[in-house]
């Protein structure tokens, strides 16, 4: 869907407009200290699906959820003493921490790619902090560029990449860090770097008091890329035209099931509901799961990628 993309300078008027759009479930481009992000209400699965649709993102990588402070972060994720030490040292700032979701975490499954962990950051940029205050919502925000394009460090970069796909870009000049945040998690007595960034391994080690792994010379594991992350623990049959009695049916379009991803055949709606559907199938009394055929175009490629991993 083509739309007019408005660029507004940072200020009260731009924040009010951005807050209104996010309240309507639309993503908005906003600067952080790292790169410009494409922000939407992380609690709203349809809004998060619109991030993927705007970016043309090929897969459902977990998105970073931005919050104003550590207290807000602890409502979404479970922090141990080392995570708190890292947060105290580097927040607000360009560090993302991957922690277990809280039991009552309100963030939509699509934002965490169906995982039981969540990636959280407290940004240091005034525009993102103002948007968090304006909306009162945790904001999922990957980089504001079409998938595969260079990450944007200025409003003009966003417009060149996403013009016509989003309604608003907030312009507050060039970003300072210019590269995406460091992503880290605490595991097995070490701080594991999942993505290098402005907060270096030495900095993490000094603040956390633990050895640091996953840095130079080691494989950097991106969250959500392991096939087992999506496995529901039951056999999964894809491309179903009908469902057997022992199968939990996940329907799409004209093929109705126990859980319909989108009766209208809308891929954005289906993307928003995919992980909830797999969780429902896993929790059902039926021994198997079957999923109706999903077209490969657009977000369908991402949906089929995740389904093929679930069916391994």
């Amino acid at each position: 869907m083509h739309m007019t993309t408005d660029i507004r300078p940072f200020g009260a008027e731009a924040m009010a407009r951005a807050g209104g759009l996010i309240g309507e479930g639309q993503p908005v481009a906003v600067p952080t200290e790292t790169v410009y992000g494409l922000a939407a209400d992380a609690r709203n699965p349809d809004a998060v699906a619109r991030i993927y649709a705007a970016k043309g993102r090929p897969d459902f990588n977990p998105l970073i959820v931005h919050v104003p402070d550590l207290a807000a972060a602890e409502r979404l994720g479970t922090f141990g003493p080392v995570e708190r030490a890292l947060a105290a040292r580097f927040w607000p700032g360009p560090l993302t921490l991957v922690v277990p979701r809280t039991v009552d975490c309100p963030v939509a499954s699509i934002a965490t790619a169906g995982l039981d962990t969540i990636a959280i950051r407290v940004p240091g940029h005034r525009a993102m902090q103002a948007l968090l205050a304006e909306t009162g919502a945790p904001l999922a925000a990957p980089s504001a560029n079409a998938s595969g394009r260079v990450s944007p460090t200025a409003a003009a970069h966003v417009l060149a990449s996403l013009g016509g796909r989003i309604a608003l870009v907030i312009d507050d000049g060039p970003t300072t860090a210019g590269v995406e945040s460091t992503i880290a998690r605490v595991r097995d007595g070490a701080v594991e770097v999942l993505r290098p960034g402005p907060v270096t391994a030495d900095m993490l080690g000094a603040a956390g008091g633990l050895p640091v792994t996953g840095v130079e010379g080691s494989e950097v594991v991106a969250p959500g890329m392991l096939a087992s992350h999506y496995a529901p623990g039951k056999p999964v049959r894809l491309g179903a035209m009908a469902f057997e009695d022992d199968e939990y049916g996940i329907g799409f379009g004209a093929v109705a099931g126990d859980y319909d991803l989108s009766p209208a055949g809308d891929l954005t709606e289906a993307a928003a509901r995919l992980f909830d559907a797999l969780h429902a199938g896993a929790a059902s009394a039926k021994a198997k799961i079957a999923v109706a055929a999903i077209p490969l175009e657009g977000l369908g490629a991402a949906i089929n990628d995740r389904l093929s991993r679930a069916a391994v």
Side-chain angles (χ1 to χ4, degrees):
M1 181 180 68
H2 192 276
M3 63 181 73
T4 300
T5 302
D6 189 15
I7 297 185
R8 297 195 185 187
F10 171 76
E13 181 186 356
M15 286 300 116
R17 172 68 175 144
L21 286 166
I22 285 176
E24 295 168 6
Q26 297 297 324
V28 170
V30 57
T32 76
E33 68 273 35
T34 56
V35 298
Y36 274 67
L38 188 59
D41 188 338
R43 303 167 300 185
N44 181 339
D46 295 315
V48 176
R50 290 186 185 107
I51 292 176
Y52 288 109
K55 286 175 64 70
R57 198 174 173 96
D59 54 31
F60 297 139
N61 288 321
L63 302 181
I64 295 170
V65 178
H66 298 71
V67 294
D69 51 37
L70 177 58
E74 291 198 288
R75 289 192 284 273
L76 306 181
T78 302
F79 285 68
V82 178
E83 289 95 342
R84 289 195 186 93
L86 294 174
R89 172 65 181 84
F90 299 112
W91 281 356
L95 175 66
T96 296
L97 291 172
V98 176
V99 296
R101 286 175 65 123
T102 56
V103 173
D104 56 352
C105 177
V107 170
S109 291
I110 186 176
T112 58
L115 303 177
D116 58 6
T117 55
I118 183 169
I120 307 177
R121 183 162 91 88
V122 174
H125 196 286
R126 65 176 185 174
M128 181 61 102
Q129 281 285 351
L131 190 57
L132 288 163
E134 180 74 29
T135 60
L139 298 176
S143 56
N145 57 290
S147 189
R149 299 280 291 275
V150 177
S151 294
T153 56
H157 300 162
V158 180
L159 191 64
S161 186
L162 296 182
R165 299 190 194 184
I166 60 175
L168 178 64
V169 180
I170 297 168
D171 186 356
D172 199 19
T175 64
T176 52
V179 295
E180 291 90 344
S181 65
T182 302
I183 302 178
R185 65 181 171 187
V186 178
R187 191 171 73 160
D188 297 333
V191 177
E192 184 179 12
V193 177
L194 300 172
R195 181 178 73 186
V199 178
T200 66
D202 287 345
M203 294 162 68
L204 290 168
L210 293 176
V212 179
T213 63
V215 290
E216 289 182 36
S218 301
E219 181 183 5
V220 178
V221 182
M225 295 311 294
L226 297 178
S228 61
H229 281 158
Y230 307 97
K234 296 178 179 179
V236 178
R237 180 170 68 92
L238 305 181
M241 302 303 293
F243 303 115
E244 304 295 334
D245 290 343
D246 62 345
E247 292 178 328
Y248 183 88
I250 297 177
F252 178 81
V255 180
D258 299 292
Y259 189 117
D260 290 329
L261 291 173
S262 174
D266 183 286
L267 289 170
T268 299
E269 181 183 22
R273 306 186 74 191
L274 175 63
F275 292 113
D276 286 333
L278 288 172
H279 280 297
S284 75
K286 294 184 178 179
K288 303 174 184 177
I289 297 171
V291 188
I294 309 290
L296 280 168
E297 73 262 12
L299 278 176
I303 295 169
N304 279 290
D305 171 76
R306 286 307 181 259
L307 287 172
S308 65
R309 293 169 186 269
V312 170

